Amino acid sequence: MGGGMLTELATEILIPAAAAVGIGFAAVQWLLVSRVRLSPERAGAAGGSKNGRDDYLPIEEEEEGLNDHNVVLKCAEIQSAISEGATSFLFTEYQYVGIFMVAFAVLIFLFLGSVEGFSTKSQPCTYSKDKYCKPALANAIFSTVSFLLGAITSVVSGFLGMKIATYANARTTLEARKGVGKAFITAFRSGAVMGFLLAANGLLVLYIAINLFKLYYGDDWEGLFESITGYGLGGSSMALFGRVGGGIYTKAADVGADLVGKVERNIPEDDPRNPAVIADNVGDNVGDIAGMGSDLFGSYAESSCAALVVASISSFGVDHDLTAMLYPLLISSVGIIVCLITTLFATDLFEIKSVKEIEPALKRQLIISTALMTVGIALVSWLALPYKFTIFNFGAQKKVTNWQLFFCVAIGLWAGLVIGFVTEYFTSNAYSPVQDVADSCRTGAATNVIFGLALGYKSVIIPIFAIAVSIFVSFSLAAMYGIAVAALGMLSTIATGLAIDAYGPISDNAGGIAEMAGMSHRIRERTDALDAAGNTAAAIGKGFAIGSAALVSLALFGAFVSRAQISTVDVLTPKVFIGLIVGAMLPYWFSAMTMKSVGSAALKMVEEVRRQFNSIPGLIEGTAKPDYATCVKISTDASIKEMIPPGALVMLTPLIVGTFFGVETLSGVLAGSLVSGVQIAISASNTGGAWDNAKKYIEAGASEHARSLGPKGSDPHKAAVIGDTIGDPLKDTSGPSLNILIKLMAVESLVFAPFFAAHGGLLFKIF
């Protein structure tokens, strides 16, 4: 069939070089952000481009507090408190997660090692019975190592993201004194540091792992890439705890701060008198940054692993064509270069001069990266792949051409953009859906809740059609490998997606710091505008994460069915159907656990905030300081305790079902959880995002309609705050965690498939 034009040596150089460029670019962006000083001597000395500087008169510079050293010191003090709180929480979380990581690694070794009774003899290959492959014990050892590698990379990704965000938040606040453009560039550059570090690290660690494992496996690529799937499992299992733990932390603080501060005491958001305000700002970093970073890293790792597993038993693996085999990694490499060019459009080539230009600038990032990436994918498909090859398709080999594979990746990429724009339409206050939700606040919180729920359900329709079309086209063209690379296509611009995603919480923190430091109303308006755009950007990011999770999960499901040697999954078989109906229930059970966890943690927070307002003399007048540390402790303790049951539900379900009911029932559970989980995740994220932006729409008062509902403290505004508070756990805890549930159960089933195929279904064997 002939190989592609790209030589093996070129591939071996290109992938690590792209990762190195990504890390280098992240370092440059970090240096530019660090030129904004958090010390009075250099206050106002900023690095970077000339973009976005408002031409103020000297007297206005005085008004904006550019020469006020106290403001700079105050910002530095608040930033330090947020950074310490976030670091302390993550270290506590990682101690618990570390214990789980070691325990689960032992479990992987024992389960997979026992497939052949811990034998060290070579065994017939799963897919080519005439050949001999490495022993099952080797698969157990290397799967365990790759699990630990994935887990550590995931934890490091989340931690680095949090460190960068807490480094940049106060710097964004200080830059807001010079104009909205300067603040935007600082926040976006900081997001880019996280995006590029994560994309490059994920790619580099996977590439190094493959090359190291190859030293032992040699020509046994089937065994090599089966053991690499542990990398995806490690990434996603850490992401689950990061998302759930961080989500509970941030929303307990947010709900407590909003209900008592804004609704009961009528004080502004992020007012320093509110005892929960530091915990709330810490939460943005541990939930939206660290949790999200781990989540998207998990998606990237799993889609790469799913594609590599299927490729290893297709002609790429059988013919030992390394360049074609590493096609998924080449897509990610080109993605880093494309995202680098795209980022320059936001930071250096276009100037943001007014608040109205923020959201279009973020949207432009998505469009430019998608358009450039389409060209990049075409080049990679043409250079790296042979013109014709075969792809494994449930026991048969399907003939595929390189242009068909290009279409698979491209449709995933463009489906991601469609999901992003639909999400934006339903969650941005620039469009009628959110404005209708805001208008419903005239008649109180109940109608606001009804309109918000309806919006969330309606917002599911187009993304599901987009996912369905991409599944149908990519499967028709290239079977399960097509779906795996479509997921990779959706995630190929992960560096830009993460930059936009991380920009939101950084802007949110910047607004909080401005309020706490007592900066002028005008600066707070600028940070609020950045935050509102960031809110929509975060919703778009969640849309991408959920869409890619659906495709990744299906690709992993296909790989699991092939590895477990199931010829067909027949829904009419009772074994499969009971799995299907139980699997569809799991996202509801999981959501109930996470929502209740947020509720009970918020209850403690509300009681503590009320207690402080009632018992500390002079607190409401601003003459006494609140006890921030107690609120931080409540959030930390609650999230650590409450993240364990939902995590256990997701991690234990495949093990219990596979061991006792067998692979057919497990295939039903995976299909059921995928189908219901995607719908709930999209509706929960969009409902919460819409309620949040409906509140911001009323607060900003930018249009005649918005002013008729305001100002802050009016009855419609209070109704909007209640809606926003209900939506908080939906959009930041349950919704984002569900995409990890559907991916994680699928990748775990794939890793344990050899054991389930050999020893699973104990109950059915007994009866």
Side-chain angles (χ1 to χ4, degrees):
M1 292 185 200
M5 284 182 251
L6 201 66
T7 63
E8 280 194 16
L9 179 64
T11 306
E12 297 269 13
I13 294 167
L14 187 67
I15 295 169
V21 166
I23 293 167
F25 186 70
V28 169
Q29 297 299 309
W30 181 80
L31 281 171
L32 290 170
V33 171
S34 67
R35 285 166 68 181
V36 180
R37 299 290 177 191
L38 272 182
S39 56
E41 305 81 56
R42 292 286 310 276
S49 67
K50 297 169 189 166
N51 295 356
R53 181 185 283 275
D54 292 352
D55 295 324
Y56 291 127
L57 298 167
I59 190 160
E60 283 185 312
E61 285 201 357
E62 292 289 341
E63 258 178 45
E64 299 305 325
L66 275 184
N67 302 319
D68 187 347
H69 293 180
N70 290 334
V71 164
V72 183
L73 289 171
K74 186 80 175 152
C75 286
E77 186 188 313
I78 297 161
Q79 183 235 21
S80 172
I82 293 170
S83 181
E84 279 171 27
T87 308
S88 153
F89 167 73
L90 285 183
F91 273 128
T92 311
E93 181 182 71
Y94 293 157
Q95 282 168 12
Y96 285 84
V97 166
I99 296 164
F100 157 81
M101 197 162 79
V102 172
F104 205 77
V106 171
L107 210 60
I108 291 171
F109 176 73
L110 293 175
F111 269 65
L112 296 184
S114 67
V115 171
E116 295 288 334
F118 296 96
S119 165
T120 52
K121 290 179 186 170
S122 293
Q123 54 180 358
C125 298
T126 309
Y127 301 98
S128 311
K129 298 291 184 190
D130 53 328
K131 292 181 187 169
Y132 274 85
C133 288
K134 299 291 182 192
L137 187 64
N139 183 29
I141 294 166
F142 283 98
S143 292
T144 306
V145 171
S146 58
F147 166 78
L148 292 170
L149 270 177
I152 292 163
T153 311
S154 180
V155 163
V156 169
S157 300
F159 187 76
L160 283 176
M162 181 280 296
K163 275 290 176 199
I164 293 151
T166 53
Y167 182 81
N169 50 16
R171 287 170 168 80
T172 305
T173 309
L174 293 175
E175 287 295 87
R177 298 175 304 171
K178 301 172 196 164
V180 75
K182 275 288 196 182
F184 172 81
I185 288 169
T186 304
F188 193 82
R189 278 211 165 108
S190 312
V193 178
M194 178 188 176
F196 282 91
L197 266 183
L198 190 139
N201 282 343
L203 176 65
L204 195 59
V205 174
L206 181 58
Y207 174 75
I208 291 168
I210 290 169
N211 278 300
L212 289 177
F213 285 19
K214 213 159 55 170
L215 296 174
Y216 169 78
Y217 276 99
D219 286 343
D220 176 13
W221 284 16
E222 185 186 301
L224 163 62
F225 290 102
E226 188 174 300
S227 62
I228 283 286
T229 53
Y231 184 69
L233 176 60
S236 254
S237 54
M238 295 304 105
L240 176 71
F241 291 107
R243 264 295 196 197
V244 174
I248 292 168
Y249 185 107
T250 180
K251 291 305 114 183
D254 201 355
V255 171
D258 282 0
L259 280 181
V260 184
K262 288 201 283 196
V263 177
E264 292 180 11
R265 295 283 174 169
N266 223 3
I267 58 175
E269 188 161 4
D270 297 313
D271 193 294
R273 292 170 291 176
N274 195 326
V277 74
I278 294 286
D280 185 7
N281 281 287
V282 167
D284 292 334
N285 295 293
V286 297
D288 292 348
I289 297 273
M292 176 199 61
S294 294
D295 178 6
L296 282 176
F297 165 74
S299 280
Y300 162 74
E302 283 162 337
S303 56
S304 303
C305 291
L308 290 167
V309 167
V310 180
S312 70
I313 50 175
S314 303
S315 61
F316 301 158
V318 175
D319 301 340
H320 293 94
D321 181 352
L322 185 72
T323 302
M325 188 69 217
L326 296 181
Y327 178 66
L329 276 72
L330 286 166
I331 291 173
S332 303
S333 304
V334 172
I336 289 174
I337 308 302
V338 163
C339 291
L340 191 155
I341 298 164
T342 309
T343 302
L344 297 177
F345 279 91
T347 56
D348 295 84
L349 300 177
F350 283 104
E351 201 174 313
I352 286 189
K353 291 174 181 166
S354 71
V355 163
K356 285 178 185 166
E357 292 173 21
I358 301 168
E359 228 168 274
L362 294 173
K363 250 161 85 174
R364 207 160 42 228
Q365 285 286 296
L366 292 173
I367 296 165
I368 294 167
S369 62
T370 304
L372 290 176
M373 194 63 208
T374 308
V375 178
I377 296 162
L379 274 171
V380 172
S381 304
W382 178 51
L383 293 171
L385 298 171
Y387 177 67
K388 280 187 177 172
F389 45 89
T390 61
I391 293 292
F392 184 84
N393 181 23
F394 300 117
Q397 291 284 348
K398 182 182 174 74
K399 287 183 180 174
V400 181
T401 59
N402 55 3
W403 65 264
Q404 286 176 310
L405 219 48
F406 158 72
F407 275 119
C408 292
V409 187
I411 197 163
L413 179 66
W414 285 92
L417 190 68
V418 169
I419 292 170
F421 279 157
V422 170
T423 306
E424 189 222 12
Y425 174 72
F426 279 103
T427 57
S428 167
N429 55 27
Y431 302 103
S432 60
V434 169
Q435 291 173 10
D436 290 345
V437 171
D439 193 63
S440 71
C441 295
R442 290 178 190 279
T443 47
T447 42
N448 180 26
V449 169
I450 293 165
F451 269 71
L453 288 172
L455 176 146
Y457 298 148
K458 194 176 175 186
S459 72
V460 173
I461 301 166
I462 297 172
I464 292 297
F465 277 120
I467 292 167
V469 168
S470 53
I471 287 169
F472 181 77
V473 173
S474 51
F475 187 82
S476 302
L477 292 174
M480 277 297 171
Y481 187 73
I483 293 172
V485 291
L488 209 61
M490 208 178 267
L491 290 163
S492 58
T493 52
I494 188 173
T496 295
L498 265 169
I500 294 171
D501 239 357
Y503 154 87
I506 291 168
S507 304
D508 193 357
N509 260 210
I513 292 170
E515 184 73 50
M516 285 186 271
M519 294 167 93
S520 75
H521 176 64
R522 197 163 159 194
I523 291 170
R524 182 70 220 227
E525 276 180 357
R526 286 174 196 156
T527 56
D528 277 353
L530 291 170
D531 183 21
N535 234 1
T536 306
I540 291 171
K542 284 169 192 146
F544 265 93
I546 295 161
S548 62
L551 293 178
V552 169
S553 179
L554 187 59
L556 291 164
F557 175 70
F560 161 72
V561 167
S562 301
R563 182 62 189 83
Q565 294 165 313
I566 305 169
S567 50
T568 54
V569 178
D570 185 356
V571 179
L572 297 175
T573 313
K575 279 184 190 178
V576 176
F577 192 80
I578 58 167
L580 198 66
I581 201 160
V582 169
M585 171 274 294
L586 286 174
Y588 290 92
W589 188 358
F590 179 84
S591 298
M593 282 178 157
T594 50
M595 295 279 286
K596 192 159 185 288
S597 297
V598 171
S600 54
L603 200 66
K604 289 175 190 158
M605 189 67 76
V606 166
E607 285 168 356
E608 174 58 24
V609 174
R610 278 179 184 156
R611 183 195 69 75
Q612 289 197 32
F613 273 126
N614 293 331
S615 63
I616 299 176
L619 180 56
I620 200 74
E621 291 80 19
T623 54
K625 281 186 82 174
D627 175 9
Y628 297 127
T630 305
C631 292
V632 169
K633 189 175 185 309
I634 287 172
S635 260
T636 304
D637 293 349
S639 55
I640 297 295
K641 189 178 110 201
E642 300 282 357
M643 75 179 180
I644 295 164
L649 173 73
V650 177
M651 298 302 291
L652 295 177
T653 298
L655 290 178
I656 292 167
V657 174
T659 305
F660 293 105
F661 298 93
V663 286
E664 288 180 318
T665 307
L666 181 54
S667 64
V669 168
L670 296 179
S673 64
L674 166 61
V675 169
S676 80
V678 171
Q679 328 277 343
I680 305 170
I682 295 172
S683 66
S685 292
N686 290 349
T687 293
W691 275 328
D692 195 348
N693 273 346
K695 175 202 74 177
K696 284 189 167 63
Y697 174 74
I698 294 171
E699 287 175 351
S703 67
E704 193 57 48
H705 176 242
R707 283 192 289 276
S708 73
L709 297 167
K712 287 184 184 180
S714 66
D715 284 343
H717 177 249
K718 283 185 177 175
V721 170
I722 290 168
D724 172 37
T725 311
I726 297 167
D728 275 338
L730 285 172
K731 75 177 167 68
D732 289 321
T733 313
S734 298
S737 305
L738 280 170
N739 63 58
I740 304 176
L741 172 137
I742 57 177
K743 292 181 308 192
L744 184 51
M745 290 194 351
V747 74
E748 189 182 333
S749 302
L750 174 59
V751 169
F752 286 97
F755 175 82
F756 297 150
H759 305 299
L762 293 178
L763 283 180
F764 292 129
K765 284 175 183 171
I766 294 166
F767 298 113

